[in-house]
mmCIF file with all atom_site columns, all heavy atoms in Angstrom:
data_model
loop_
_atom_site.group_PDB
_atom_site.id
_atom_site.type_symbol
_atom_site.label_atom_id
_atom_site.label_alt_id
_atom_site.label_comp_id
_atom_site.label_asym_id
_atom_site.label_entity_id
_atom_site.label_seq_id
_atom_site.pdbx_PDB_ins_code
_atom_site.Cartn_x
_atom_site.Cartn_y
_atom_site.Cartn_z
_atom_site.occupancy
_atom_site.B_iso_or_equiv
_atom_site.pdbx_formal_charge
_atom_site.auth_seq_id
_atom_site.auth_comp_id
_atom_site.auth_asym_id
_atom_site.auth_atom_id
_atom_site.pdbx_PDB_model_num
ATOM 1  N N   . TRP A 1 145 ? 91.875 85.318 80.483 1.00 0.00 ? 287 TRP A N   1
ATOM 2  C CA  . TRP A 1 145 ? 92.076 86.317 79.465 1.00 0.00 ? 287 TRP A CA  1
ATOM 3  C C   . TRP A 1 145 ? 90.737 86.566 78.886 1.00 0.00 ? 287 TRP A C   1
ATOM 4  O O   . TRP A 1 145 ? 89.732 85.893 79.081 1.00 0.00 ? 287 TRP A O   1
ATOM 5  C CB  . TRP A 1 145 ? 93.053 85.806 78.450 1.00 0.00 ? 287 TRP A CB  1
ATOM 6  C CG  . TRP A 1 145 ? 92.643 84.526 77.701 1.00 0.00 ? 287 TRP A CG  1
ATOM 7  C CD1 . TRP A 1 145 ? 92.981 83.261 78.095 1.00 0.00 ? 287 TRP A CD1 1
ATOM 8  C CD2 . TRP A 1 145 ? 91.952 84.371 76.527 1.00 0.00 ? 287 TRP A CD2 1
ATOM 9  N NE1 . TRP A 1 145 ? 92.477 82.344 77.242 1.00 0.00 ? 287 TRP A NE1 1
ATOM 10 C CE2 . TRP A 1 145 ? 91.754 82.970 76.269 1.00 0.00 ? 287 TRP A CE2 1
ATOM 11 C CE3 . TRP A 1 145 ? 91.187 85.201 75.631 1.00 0.00 ? 287 TRP A CE3 1
ATOM 12 C CZ2 . TRP A 1 145 ? 91.002 82.455 75.128 1.00 0.00 ? 287 TRP A CZ2 1
ATOM 13 C CZ3 . TRP A 1 145 ? 90.508 84.682 74.569 1.00 0.00 ? 287 TRP A CZ3 1
ATOM 14 C CH2 . TRP A 1 145 ? 90.423 83.308 74.347 1.00 0.00 ? 287 TRP A CH2 1
ATOM 15 N N   . TYR A 1 146 ? 90.575 87.549 78.134 1.00 0.00 ? 288 TYR A N   1
ATOM 16 C CA  . TYR A 1 146 ? 89.379 87.942 77.433 1.00 0.00 ? 288 TYR A CA  1
ATOM 17 C C   . TYR A 1 146 ? 89.748 88.454 76.012 1.00 0.00 ? 288 TYR A C   1
ATOM 18 O O   . TYR A 1 146 ? 90.800 88.926 75.768 1.00 0.00 ? 288 TYR A O   1
ATOM 19 C CB  . TYR A 1 146 ? 88.514 89.020 78.190 1.00 0.00 ? 288 TYR A CB  1
ATOM 20 C CG  . TYR A 1 146 ? 89.245 90.224 78.679 1.00 0.00 ? 288 TYR A CG  1
ATOM 21 C CD1 . TYR A 1 146 ? 89.281 91.351 78.030 1.00 0.00 ? 288 TYR A CD1 1
ATOM 22 C CD2 . TYR A 1 146 ? 89.979 90.184 79.995 1.00 0.00 ? 288 TYR A CD2 1
ATOM 23 C CE1 . TYR A 1 146 ? 89.793 92.522 78.518 1.00 0.00 ? 288 TYR A CE1 1
ATOM 24 C CE2 . TYR A 1 146 ? 90.594 91.316 80.366 1.00 0.00 ? 288 TYR A CE2 1
ATOM 25 C CZ  . TYR A 1 146 ? 90.599 92.405 79.749 1.00 0.00 ? 288 TYR A CZ  1
ATOM 26 O OH  . TYR A 1 146 ? 91.248 93.543 80.095 1.00 0.00 ? 288 TYR A OH  1
ATOM 27 N N   . THR A 1 147 ? 88.672 88.622 75.138 1.00 0.00 ? 289 THR A N   1
ATOM 28 C CA  . THR A 1 147 ? 88.886 88.954 73.768 1.00 0.00 ? 289 THR A CA  1
ATOM 29 C C   . THR A 1 147 ? 89.617 90.253 73.604 1.00 0.00 ? 289 THR A C   1
ATOM 30 O O   . THR A 1 147 ? 89.154 91.284 74.262 1.00 0.00 ? 289 THR A O   1
ATOM 31 C CB  . THR A 1 147 ? 87.545 88.915 73.001 1.00 0.00 ? 289 THR A CB  1
ATOM 32 O OG1 . THR A 1 147 ? 86.924 87.676 73.125 1.00 0.00 ? 289 THR A OG1 1
ATOM 33 C CG2 . THR A 1 147 ? 87.809 89.257 71.579 1.00 0.00 ? 289 THR A CG2 1
ATOM 34 N N   . GLY A 1 148 ? 90.649 90.268 72.808 1.00 0.00 ? 290 GLY A N   1
ATOM 35 C CA  . GLY A 1 148 ? 91.353 91.481 72.517 1.00 0.00 ? 290 GLY A CA  1
ATOM 36 C C   . GLY A 1 148 ? 92.577 91.737 73.444 1.00 0.00 ? 290 GLY A C   1
ATOM 37 O O   . GLY A 1 148 ? 93.335 92.606 73.142 1.00 0.00 ? 290 GLY A O   1
ATOM 38 N N   . ARG A 1 149 ? 92.731 90.961 74.482 1.00 0.00 ? 291 ARG A N   1
ATOM 39 C CA  . ARG A 1 149 ? 93.874 91.316 75.470 1.00 0.00 ? 291 ARG A CA  1
ATOM 40 C C   . ARG A 1 149 ? 94.611 90.034 75.718 1.00 0.00 ? 291 ARG A C   1
ATOM 41 O O   . ARG A 1 149 ? 93.980 88.855 75.991 1.00 0.00 ? 291 ARG A O   1
ATOM 42 C CB  . ARG A 1 149 ? 93.356 91.857 76.824 1.00 0.00 ? 291 ARG A CB  1
ATOM 43 C CG  . ARG A 1 149 ? 92.877 93.298 76.714 1.00 0.00 ? 291 ARG A CG  1
ATOM 44 C CD  . ARG A 1 149 ? 93.835 94.279 76.242 1.00 0.00 ? 291 ARG A CD  1
ATOM 45 N NE  . ARG A 1 149 ? 95.185 94.015 76.740 1.00 0.00 ? 291 ARG A NE  1
ATOM 46 C CZ  . ARG A 1 149 ? 95.717 94.653 77.870 1.00 0.00 ? 291 ARG A CZ  1
ATOM 47 N NH1 . ARG A 1 149 ? 94.928 95.397 78.523 1.00 0.00 ? 291 ARG A NH1 1
ATOM 48 N NH2 . ARG A 1 149 ? 96.899 94.460 78.142 1.00 0.00 ? 291 ARG A NH2 1
ATOM 49 N N   . ALA A 1 150 ? 95.931 90.143 75.850 1.00 0.00 ? 292 ALA A N   1
ATOM 50 C CA  . ALA A 1 150 ? 96.694 89.054 76.341 1.00 0.00 ? 292 ALA A CA  1
ATOM 51 C C   . ALA A 1 150 ? 96.534 88.918 77.914 1.00 0.00 ? 292 ALA A C   1
ATOM 52 O O   . ALA A 1 150 ? 96.018 89.870 78.517 1.00 0.00 ? 292 ALA A O   1
ATOM 53 C CB  . ALA A 1 150 ? 98.190 89.315 76.031 1.00 0.00 ? 292 ALA A CB  1
ATOM 54 N N   . THR A 1 151 ? 97.007 87.958 78.496 1.00 0.00 ? 293 THR A N   1
ATOM 55 C CA  . THR A 1 151 ? 96.990 87.858 80.028 1.00 0.00 ? 293 THR A CA  1
ATOM 56 C C   . THR A 1 151 ? 97.866 88.966 80.558 1.00 0.00 ? 293 THR A C   1
ATOM 57 O O   . THR A 1 151 ? 99.035 89.289 80.022 1.00 0.00 ? 293 THR A O   1
ATOM 58 C CB  . THR A 1 151 ? 97.619 86.446 80.393 1.00 0.00 ? 293 THR A CB  1
ATOM 59 O OG1 . THR A 1 151 ? 96.905 85.503 79.776 1.00 0.00 ? 293 THR A OG1 1
ATOM 60 C CG2 . THR A 1 151 ? 97.611 86.453 81.958 1.00 0.00 ? 293 THR A CG2 1
ATOM 61 N N   . HIS A 1 152 ? 97.319 89.716 81.534 1.00 0.00 ? 294 HIS A N   1
ATOM 62 C CA  . HIS A 1 152 ? 98.015 90.790 82.033 1.00 0.00 ? 294 HIS A CA  1
ATOM 63 C C   . HIS A 1 152 ? 97.536 91.112 83.510 1.00 0.00 ? 294 HIS A C   1
ATOM 64 O O   . HIS A 1 152 ? 96.524 90.733 83.937 1.00 0.00 ? 294 HIS A O   1
ATOM 65 C CB  . HIS A 1 152 ? 97.806 92.092 81.150 1.00 0.00 ? 294 HIS A CB  1
ATOM 66 C CG  . HIS A 1 152 ? 96.365 92.514 81.099 1.00 0.00 ? 294 HIS A CG  1
ATOM 67 N ND1 . HIS A 1 152 ? 95.450 91.816 80.258 1.00 0.00 ? 294 HIS A ND1 1
ATOM 68 C CD2 . HIS A 1 152 ? 95.764 93.551 81.696 1.00 0.00 ? 294 HIS A CD2 1
ATOM 69 C CE1 . HIS A 1 152 ? 94.309 92.418 80.450 1.00 0.00 ? 294 HIS A CE1 1
ATOM 70 N NE2 . HIS A 1 152 ? 94.397 93.555 81.306 1.00 0.00 ? 294 HIS A NE2 1
ATOM 71 N N   . ILE A 1 153 ? 98.339 92.087 84.120 1.00 0.00 ? 295 ILE A N   1
ATOM 72 C CA  . ILE A 1 153 ? 97.985 92.627 85.464 1.00 0.00 ? 295 ILE A CA  1
ATOM 73 C C   . ILE A 1 153 ? 98.129 94.022 85.385 1.00 0.00 ? 295 ILE A C   1
ATOM 74 O O   . ILE A 1 153 ? 99.116 94.581 84.831 1.00 0.00 ? 295 ILE A O   1
ATOM 75 C CB  . ILE A 1 153 ? 98.903 91.983 86.607 1.00 0.00 ? 295 ILE A CB  1
ATOM 76 C CG1 . ILE A 1 153 ? 98.663 90.594 86.725 1.00 0.00 ? 295 ILE A CG1 1
ATOM 77 C CG2 . ILE A 1 153 ? 98.658 92.751 87.898 1.00 0.00 ? 295 ILE A CG2 1
ATOM 78 C CD1 . ILE A 1 153 ? 99.588 89.832 87.633 1.00 0.00 ? 295 ILE A CD1 1
ATOM 79 N N   . HIS A 1 154 ? 97.163 94.876 85.943 1.00 0.00 ? 296 HIS A N   1
ATOM 80 C CA  . HIS A 1 154 ? 97.378 96.289 86.019 1.00 0.00 ? 296 HIS A CA  1
ATOM 81 C C   . HIS A 1 154 ? 98.081 96.652 87.285 1.00 0.00 ? 296 HIS A C   1
ATOM 82 O O   . HIS A 1 154 ? 97.795 96.141 88.375 1.00 0.00 ? 296 HIS A O   1
ATOM 83 C CB  . HIS A 1 154 ? 95.909 96.912 86.027 1.00 0.00 ? 296 HIS A CB  1
ATOM 84 C CG  . HIS A 1 154 ? 95.167 96.720 84.767 1.00 0.00 ? 296 HIS A CG  1
ATOM 85 N ND1 . HIS A 1 154 ? 95.221 97.635 83.704 1.00 0.00 ? 296 HIS A ND1 1
ATOM 86 C CD2 . HIS A 1 154 ? 94.308 95.735 84.280 1.00 0.00 ? 296 HIS A CD2 1
ATOM 87 C CE1 . HIS A 1 154 ? 94.446 97.244 82.693 1.00 0.00 ? 296 HIS A CE1 1
ATOM 88 N NE2 . HIS A 1 154 ? 93.899 96.103 83.047 1.00 0.00 ? 296 HIS A NE2 1
#
Side-chain angles (χ1 to χ4, degrees):
W287 58 272
Y288 49 95
T289 302
R291 287 304 316 271
T293 302
H294 64 281
I295 295 175
H296 294 268

